[in-house]
């Protein structure tokens, strides 16, 4: 009999069916799954070639958009870039390139280059510009933005648009078009298809404003200054504002740009509000013991609009697929780095230290970067998929357009 503490006699080596205590050996099923995973690894293919091919395609798209703008000056560069991106995604010759080798670079342009463009956008605004508008105009802009954002968000959810589309479309209509959409989508980590759909809608509706609003200038009884403020408060993108307001002369153009830049200044507080919303959802998730993604869906559940309508984004919660997945407990910064850069550029412009040449070069760089980003986002639009919600998206765009045009027109008349 062995005494307490004596080493037991040696035993034969354990068989694979009886693992040694304290060790973890995979089961046959787990081993087979691991083997399949190892075999599924492929050598780098077209989708892992890096961003350079896609960035080259984006550069070609910007050059083509610039050519369109030179031939037809009424078509803004950014609008042409979005439309050409959508065309590239559906033309038989370019479709395979856009969805394959060029996809990483085009996605890089749609996210990273857009951030740089948003930062440079701050150089178009100074604190003095905002103060020069007067409190009445500032109050009018705040009311227009609040009414457009809340009304569009509410209606988009009522229509059952999937994912982050209601929020992104509301942001684009109320603030500054594609730039605001991409800023908020970075915080929410929205699906690329939601971003692309929202950008396409807001850009195309803003382009329609270039043709429609000048026709209403005289029938609505607006002088040049009033027309400029109306355009600045009601048109989405800065380039579209310039293209629309310049039809009424330089005074209208100046008023339009000032009012529009006041809306741009609201980008930072809106992003901060979205961050606080995401943090609140994360806190609720921790209390409830479930993961909440930025689109508002708990792990394994659909969003409210998906649950109500049966639309498909709710499956992402159960599968964990899609770019919208966020690690549970991760808190986004209250002021994202690119938004902080935007505010820093506003302060730098306010100091008056930058010469006109530097501001001109920055404006050109900003427009080219945004054009490349919008081409990349346009190339992610899949029209057959968009067609499934096209009627609801179009209805939301039309209603939001009527809201922002009507509220801004009333505000201009009250502050005249």
């Amino acid at each position: 009999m062995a005494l307490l503490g004596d080493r037991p006699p040696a035993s034969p080596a354990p068989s694979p069916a009886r693992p040694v205590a304290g060790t973890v050996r995979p089961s046959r099923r787990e081993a087979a799954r691991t083997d399949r995973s190892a075999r599924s690894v492929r050598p780098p293919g077209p989708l892992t070639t890096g961003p350079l091919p896609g960035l080259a395609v984006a550069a070609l798209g910007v050059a083509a958009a610039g050519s369109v703008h030179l031939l037809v000056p009424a078509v803004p560069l950014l609008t042409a870039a979005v439309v050409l991106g959508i065309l590239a995604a559906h033309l038989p010759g370019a479709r395979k390139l856009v969805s394959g080798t060029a996809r990483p670079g085009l996605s890089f342009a749609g996210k990273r280059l857009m951030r740089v463009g948003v930062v440079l956008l701050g150089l178009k605004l100074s604190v003095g510009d905002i103060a020069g508008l007067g409190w009445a105009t500032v109050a009018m802009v705040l009311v227009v933005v609040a009414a457009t954002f809340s009304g569009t968000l509410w209606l988009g959810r009522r229509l059952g648009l999937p994912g982050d589309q209601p929020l992104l479309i509301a942001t684009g209509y109320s603030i500054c078009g594609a730039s605001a959409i991409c800023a908020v989508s970075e915080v929410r980590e929205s699906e690329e298809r939601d971003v692309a759909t929202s950008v396409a809608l807001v850009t195309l509706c803003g382009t329609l404003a270039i043709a429609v609003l000048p026709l209403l200038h005289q029938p609505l009884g607006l002088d040049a200054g009033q027309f400029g403020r109306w355009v600045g408060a009601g048109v989405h993108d800065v380039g579209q504002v310039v293209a629309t307001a310049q039809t009424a002369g330089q005074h209208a153009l100046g008023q339009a740009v000032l009012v529009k830049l006041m809306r741009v200044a609201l980008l930072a507080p809106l992003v901060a509000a979205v961050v606080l919303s995401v943090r609140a959802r994360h806190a609720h998730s921790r209390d409830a013991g479930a993961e909440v993604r930025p689109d508002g869906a708990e792990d394994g559940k659909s969003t409210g609009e998906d649950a109500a309508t049966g639309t498909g984004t709710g499956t992402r919660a159960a599968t964990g697929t899609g770019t919208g997945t966020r690690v549970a407990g991760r808190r986004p910064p209250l002021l994202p780095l690119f938004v902080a850069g935007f505010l820093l550029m506003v302060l730098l412009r306010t100091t008056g230290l930058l010469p006109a040449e530097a501001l001109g070069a920055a404006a050109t760089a900003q427009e080219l970067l945004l054009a490349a980003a919008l081409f990349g986002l346009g190339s992610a639009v899949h029209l057959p998929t968009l067609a499934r919600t096209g009627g609801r998206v179009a209805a939301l765009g039309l209603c939001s357009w009527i809201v922002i045009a009507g509220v801004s027109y009333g505000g201009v008349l009250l502050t005249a």
Side-chain angles (χ1 to χ4, degrees):
M1 179 182 294
L3 297 177
L4 184 64
D6 287 347
R7 176 186 292 273
S11 59
S15 64
R18 298 177 62 187
V20 178
T23 64
V24 178
R25 297 177 60 87
S27 65
R28 291 183 179 181
R29 181 177 299 176
E30 291 171 340
R33 186 183 300 117
T34 303
D35 183 61
R36 285 195 302 270
S37 299
R39 290 198 306 268
S40 68
V41 177
R42 298 286 188 269
L47 293 179
T48 59
T49 53
L52 289 181
L55 291 176
V57 172
L60 292 176
V62 172
S67 300
V68 171
H69 177 62
L70 289 176
L71 292 174
V72 187
V75 178
L77 174 66
L78 302 186
T79 301
V82 172
V83 174
L84 290 176
I86 296 174
L87 290 177
H90 295 84
L91 290 176
R95 181 170 52 202
K96 186 175 181 180
L97 174 64
V98 165
S99 61
T101 305
R103 189 70 255 155
L106 292 173
S107 297
F108 179 89
K111 294 181 180 179
R112 308 298 180 183
L113 297 187
M114 178 63 76
R115 291 181 183 180
V116 181
V118 170
V119 170
L120 294 179
L121 187 62
L123 289 175
K124 293 187 175 181
L125 180 66
S126 71
V127 176
D129 294 334
I130 299 175
L133 290 174
W135 289 112
T137 301
V138 171
M140 181 267 289
V141 171
L142 292 174
V143 170
V144 169
V145 169
T148 304
F149 180 82
S150 58
T152 303
L153 181 62
W154 176 84
L155 182 58
R157 288 174 173 171
R158 293 283 294 178
L159 291 173
L161 294 185
D164 281 343
Q165 289 183 24
L167 173 64
L168 298 179
I169 293 172
T171 301
Y173 267 87
S174 59
I175 303 295
C176 54
S179 303
I181 289 174
C182 293
V184 171
S185 69
E186 287 292 326
V187 176
R188 297 274 294 186
E189 294 186 0
S190 304
E191 291 281 354
E192 187 177 28
R193 64 173 177 266
D194 290 343
V195 180
T197 299
S198 304
V199 167
L201 175 67
V202 172
T203 302
L204 294 178
C205 287
T207 303
L208 186 62
I210 298 174
V212 174
L213 265 60
L215 299 178
L216 300 176
H217 179 188
Q218 298 300 330
L220 292 178
L222 299 174
D223 59 30
Q226 291 173 328
F227 178 74
R229 290 193 294 276
W230 183 47
V231 171
V235 180
H236 318 314
D237 187 82
V238 176
Q240 296 163 349
V241 167
V242 172
T244 306
Q246 67 185 0
T247 60
Q250 288 299 313
H251 179 59
L253 178 59
Q255 292 290 305
V257 170
L258 285 177
V259 172
K260 176 59 188 176
L261 292 179
M262 173 60 197
R263 288 169 61 196
V264 172
L266 298 176
L267 176 62
L270 176 63
V271 171
V274 173
V275 170
L276 290 175
S277 174
V278 172
R279 286 186 175 184
R281 292 178 189 275
H282 286 181
H284 177 72
S285 170
R286 286 192 297 271
D287 294 339
E291 179 181 352
V292 175
R293 296 192 328 274
D295 58 6
E298 295 182 1
D299 188 22
K301 299 179 182 179
S302 301
T303 60
E305 52 266 34
D306 290 340
T309 64
T311 50
T313 57
T315 59
R316 286 188 302 146
T319 63
T321 58
T323 59
T325 304
R326 186 192 292 273
V327 177
R330 179 175 140 196
R331 288 160 58 93
L334 182 59
L335 192 66
L337 185 60
F338 69 95
V339 178
F342 169 83
L343 295 176
L344 181 62
M345 293 300 103
V346 173
L347 295 177
L348 183 59
R349 172 66 185 268
T350 304
T351 63
L353 297 176
L354 294 179
E357 295 78 8
L359 293 175
T364 301
Q366 179 249 342
E367 191 168 20
L368 293 177
L369 288 169
L370 291 183
L374 293 181
F375 180 87
L377 288 172
S379 69
V381 174
H382 188 237
L383 291 180
T385 302
L386 181 61
R388 288 196 286 271
T389 56
R392 288 176 288 162
V393 170
L396 177 60
L398 179 61
C399 293
S400 299
W401 195 29
I402 293 173
V403 168
I404 193 170
V407 175
S408 58
Y409 176 70
V412 167
L413 293 181
L414 290 176
T415 57

